[in-house]
Amino acid sequence: MNTYLVTGASRGIGLATTLILLENGHQVIGTYNGNSEKAAKLEKSNKNLQMVQLDLVEYSSVDKLVSNIKNRLDGIVNSAGIFEEVDFNSYKYDALELNFKVNAFSPLYLVSKLQGQLKDGSSIVNISSTDSKVGSTSGMGYAASKATVESLTRSLSLCLAQRDIRVNAIAPGWIGDGMQAPREVLEIAKSYNPLNKLGDYGDIANIIEFLLSEKSAYINGTVISADGGDESKSYVLDQESRIA
């Protein structure tokens, strides 16, 4: 039985990952922020699951989590994240800073604080986004923070390589509810996708499970895109093929 820490374990990708790991007989320390009722239900129904409150806005909350983890860890999944819109014209960048704090800086802080409890040969998986590869307007903070996640993933893979600890990231495309995106946007994403569908949380969880396992022993410092082929498609070239 391995022990994994999964942040954002009460919903979305984090929840799907937690359930897969539990089904395969592993022990999971899952974190949640505000949904204590959901966390309690999950913990009650899974004997190998411990749910712990974590607010990634506060480094002190990370410190508290670290102090309460007594287990040696076989891996960390940094799944928790936020999407805060940024108003470029207001020149108030609180939302920009919040995206960076939750999505990039606190996960880095968490790994640095837990590196002594990570077993040699363990694995870390960070969640990025295909948004990291394009520009954005209101989503500029989210996109930039995810680009930072990818850069930090590569750097951490070098910092921890001497202990055979691998660090990789996954860049999902449109998955599940798209972080609570409007239904109209989800329909557009689905119709544009080469596979004509949105991804499922389980699709990403399966890749995470692979990256945590010995089956991916030679994959390190890599970002895997999981977007159903969106990055391979050009809107202009697609329209050109329809016109020609």
Side-chain angles (χ1 to χ4, degrees):
M1 177 187 294
N2 291 340
T3 300
Y4 298 103
L5 172 66
V6 180
T7 69
S10 65
R11 69 176 305 275
I13 293 171
L15 174 58
T17 301
T18 296
L19 294 178
I20 283 180
L21 293 175
L22 290 170
E23 288 171 4
N24 289 332
H26 300 301
Q27 183 174 357
V28 176
I29 302 169
T31 77
Y32 68 96
N33 187 9
N35 198 341
S36 57
E37 183 176 346
K38 176 71 173 295
K41 288 181 179 178
L42 285 169
E43 191 174 63
K44 186 176 181 179
S45 60
N46 296 278
K47 65 177 182 178
N48 290 328
L49 173 63
Q50 176 189 1
M51 294 294 289
V52 183
Q53 199 276 335
L54 173 65
D55 182 0
L56 288 173
V57 174
E58 302 293 339
Y59 288 136
S60 59
S61 184
V62 177
D63 291 335
K64 183 178 179 181
L65 169 68
V66 170
S67 67
N68 288 328
I69 294 179
K70 309 304 180 185
N71 312 62
R72 294 274 286 168
L73 297 173
D74 296 274
I76 299 172
V77 180
N78 286 307
S79 178
I82 60 169
F83 183 103
E84 291 288 323
E85 292 190 355
V86 175
D87 182 359
F88 175 71
N89 294 315
S90 73
Y91 301 101
K92 295 178 181 178
Y93 295 138
D94 292 349
L96 181 72
E97 294 171 355
L98 191 59
N99 278 295
F100 273 87
K101 183 71 177 291
V102 173
N103 296 337
F105 299 155
S106 285
L108 173 65
Y109 184 74
L110 177 63
V111 170
S112 70
K113 287 291 185 176
L114 284 173
Q115 59 181 307
Q117 287 168 256
L118 280 167
K119 296 178 183 177
D120 290 355
S122 57
S123 176
I124 298 169
V125 181
N126 299 321
I127 300 301
S128 179
S129 169
T130 52
D131 285 18
S132 66
K133 299 169 177 60
V134 297
S136 185
T137 51
S138 62
M140 67 170 66
Y142 178 79
S145 71
K146 290 302 187 178
T148 301
V149 167
E150 296 186 6
S151 179
L152 290 175
T153 294
R154 297 183 181 97
S155 296
L156 282 171
S157 73
L158 303 178
C159 292
L160 298 171
Q162 289 184 344
R163 295 179 54 200
D164 198 28
I165 296 175
R166 297 178 296 108
V167 188
N168 294 288
I170 302 171
W174 288 94
I175 305 295
D177 67 2
M179 298 192 77
Q180 300 178 334
R183 173 51 56 183
E184 181 182 1
V185 173
L186 295 176
E187 289 299 325
I188 293 172
K190 178 180 177 181
S191 64
Y192 182 74
N193 187 271
L195 298 179
N196 195 34
K197 66 179 183 179
L198 303 177
D200 183 80
Y201 296 124
D203 295 329
I204 308 303
N206 286 330
I207 303 172
I208 293 173
E209 182 193 22
F210 168 70
L211 290 174
L212 290 174
S213 74
E214 285 300 313
K215 294 178 181 179
S216 60
Y218 203 53
I219 301 177
N220 188 35
T222 295
V223 180
I224 298 176
S225 290
D227 64 356
D230 282 342
E231 288 183 79
S232 300
K233 190 174 181 180
S234 163
Y235 175 79
V236 174
L237 294 181
D238 182 56
Q239 294 304 306
E240 179 188 42
S241 67
R242 296 172 189 271
I243 296 170

